[in-house]
Amino acid sequence: MLQAGDLAPDFELPDARMELLRLSSFRETANIVLYFFNKDHTPGGITEAVEFNELLAEFARHDTVVLGVSLDDCLAHEAFREEEGLDFDLLADTEGEVSRLYHVLTEWQAQGMVRYGIERSTFVIDKAGVIRLALYHVQPKGHAAEVFAYVKQLGQLNADR
């Protein structure tokens, strides 16, 4: 598992518009809330995405970008963004490579087949690319507000330097 103080693994994934987004492209310009969710169009996925979306302006005031990652493909993400009115990027990790890097991919056996899913998790990454907060096993309801409180505190700590 990744922890606060670890360097965030860099990656490149396509967003809902099928444009590649590289995590390190935000270095020195923005903090990042990188959250992993299991699936578009699920009750928990909707709750978490809508709550992050409602706080986007507040995150932006603290130089923070929100990025969501799941195993869904770009087309599913685009439909989800449109249906829920989301204004932040959703990244398609269809092969689970990035989910493995962040230790959020789970695997289990069901009816003789191996299934994969994402353990709902969130990482706050600072402008230097260092993980400042790593949360595994999160609950969707109220999670965005909890993460925003941390980002706000992080901004105050940086302002005091």
Side-chain angles (χ1 to χ4, degrees):
M1 286 205 187
L2 296 172
Q3 301 175 18
D6 291 345
L7 192 60
D10 195 20
F11 62 83
E12 188 173 73
L13 286 175
D15 64 14
R17 294 174 303 280
M18 297 183 204
E19 295 174 9
L20 289 176
L21 186 145
R22 179 169 286 284
L23 186 71
S24 59
S25 69
F26 294 99
R27 286 241 170 95
E28 298 181 21
T29 60
N31 301 304
I32 300 163
V33 170
L34 181 66
Y35 84 95
F36 290 83
F37 64 104
N38 204 34
K39 201 151 182 50
D40 294 335
H41 310 288
T42 60
I46 293 168
T47 297
E48 195 171 23
V50 168
E51 287 184 9
F52 272 118
N53 201 65
E54 288 171 351
L55 290 170
L56 273 184
E58 295 298 318
F59 279 112
R61 269 191 275 266
H62 292 277
D63 296 329
T64 302
V65 172
V66 175
L67 301 173
V69 179
S70 79
L71 302 175
D72 293 301
D73 65 25
C74 297
L75 295 175
H77 280 335
E78 183 59 24
F80 185 50
R81 287 183 77 228
E82 286 178 15
E83 287 171 23
E84 300 303 329
L86 304 178
D87 295 319
F88 61 90
D89 284 318
L90 296 177
L91 306 177
D93 186 22
T94 57
E95 301 299 316
E97 292 174 27
V98 173
S99 298
R100 280 184 189 88
L101 282 175
Y102 282 80
H103 306 279
V104 300
L105 191 68
T106 59
E107 156 181 335
W108 67 93
Q109 293 252 343
Q111 299 172 338
M113 296 181 65
V114 176
R115 307 261 186 206
Y116 295 95
I118 288 183
E119 178 184 319
R120 194 179 307 279
S121 304
T122 301
F123 303 87
V124 175
I125 303 165
D126 69 15
K127 292 178 183 180
V130 175
I131 296 171
R132 299 298 294 265
L133 182 67
L135 299 170
Y136 291 89
H137 314 293
V138 304
Q139 296 299 312
K141 184 88 175 126
H143 179 63
E146 173 189 358
V147 171
F148 176 69
Y150 180 81
V151 165
K152 190 174 173 182
Q153 178 187 356
L154 180 63
Q156 290 169 338
L157 291 173
N158 289 335
D160 293 341
R161 288 185 182 167

